[in-house]
Amino acid sequence: MVTPDALFTLFGVYGDVHRVKILFAKKDNALIQMAEPHQANTAMQHLNNLRVWGKNIRVTLSKHNQVQLPKEGQPDAGLTKDFTASPLHRFKKPGSKNFLNIYPPSDTLHLSNIPASTTEEELIDLFTSTGGAVQAFKFFAKDRKMALLKMGSTEEAVHALIKMHNYQLSGSNHLKVSFSKGQIS
């Protein structure tokens, strides 16, 4: 189901999302406010025409400069959310390595921040629980805190990323998930 949190996670791969508003009268339309114009352009470049939630999404620039929050006391049904102060932004640190690792959606996901005690089987089971099929898995040889995981399709990988990014694997380890440029078979 499309929620502000799901859109925050998906668009957050390409920049820091400040606000999300799913339109009340047209629930298959949303406004997403990014921190910077170039982040909005990057999201548009990589996500336009992507198949997700059973449909190809259309990502274009809005005529609105910002997403308005509902007025105090106005019902919203949870369709608008402000993420400005979210600790989950990937790009809040200037010069972060995340800026160098922005790739288009693919069937292969890059996993990081994996605790040493987590097994390949546990990760495969977790990602299978998102509704897709894991085709291949490989820990990085030099660093078992990272791995590549190949889903059955790009659409399955998108759903897995939305569900599993920031998933708590242990007390202090939250899984980081992004699209990978690398492939495994």
Side-chain angles (χ1 to χ4, degrees), residues 42-180:
T42 301
M44 193 168 52
Q45 173 190 348
H46 291 302
L47 297 176
N48 188 41
N49 210 32
L50 175 70
R51 186 155 186 83
V52 61
W53 297 295
K55 297 180 179 179
N56 286 27
I57 61 172
R58 193 169 62 99
V59 183
T60 61
L61 292 177
S62 173
K63 65 181 179 182
H64 304 285
N65 287 331
Q66 62 181 5
V67 172
Q68 295 295 319
L69 294 173
K71 291 181 174 63
E72 194 68 37
Q74 187 178 27
D76 165 72
L79 298 176
T80 305
K81 196 161 180 184
D82 188 337
F83 294 96
T84 306
S86 173
L88 303 178
H89 287 141
R90 296 178 189 240
F91 303 98
K92 60 186 172 212
K93 294 179 189 162
S96 165
K97 284 193 284 184
N98 291 337
F99 286 109
L100 304 174
N101 295 307
I102 297 175
Y103 301 106
S106 70
D107 61 359
T108 304
L109 299 171
H110 179 272
L111 315 180
S112 62
N113 205 31
I114 303 168
S117 61
T118 303
T119 67
E120 176 178 335
E121 291 75 26
E122 289 172 313
L123 289 167
I124 289 172
D125 287 347
L126 268 176
F127 278 81
T128 301
S129 76
T130 66
V134 175
Q135 304 293 314
F137 180 91
K138 182 178 174 187
F139 276 113
F140 280 41
K142 294 181 182 176
D143 187 357
R144 277 189 49 95
K145 291 181 183 177
M146 294 190 287
L148 293 179
L149 182 136
K150 181 177 180 173
M151 299 297 292
S153 68
T154 299
E155 187 173 7
E156 286 181 12
V158 170
H159 284 281
L161 180 142
I162 290 168
K163 289 185 177 183
M164 299 309 301
H165 178 67
N166 209 45
Y167 181 86
Q168 190 169 357
L169 286 171
S170 70
S172 62
N173 289 81
H174 289 78
L175 187 64
K176 303 298 177 209
V177 183
S178 56
F179 298 112
S180 174

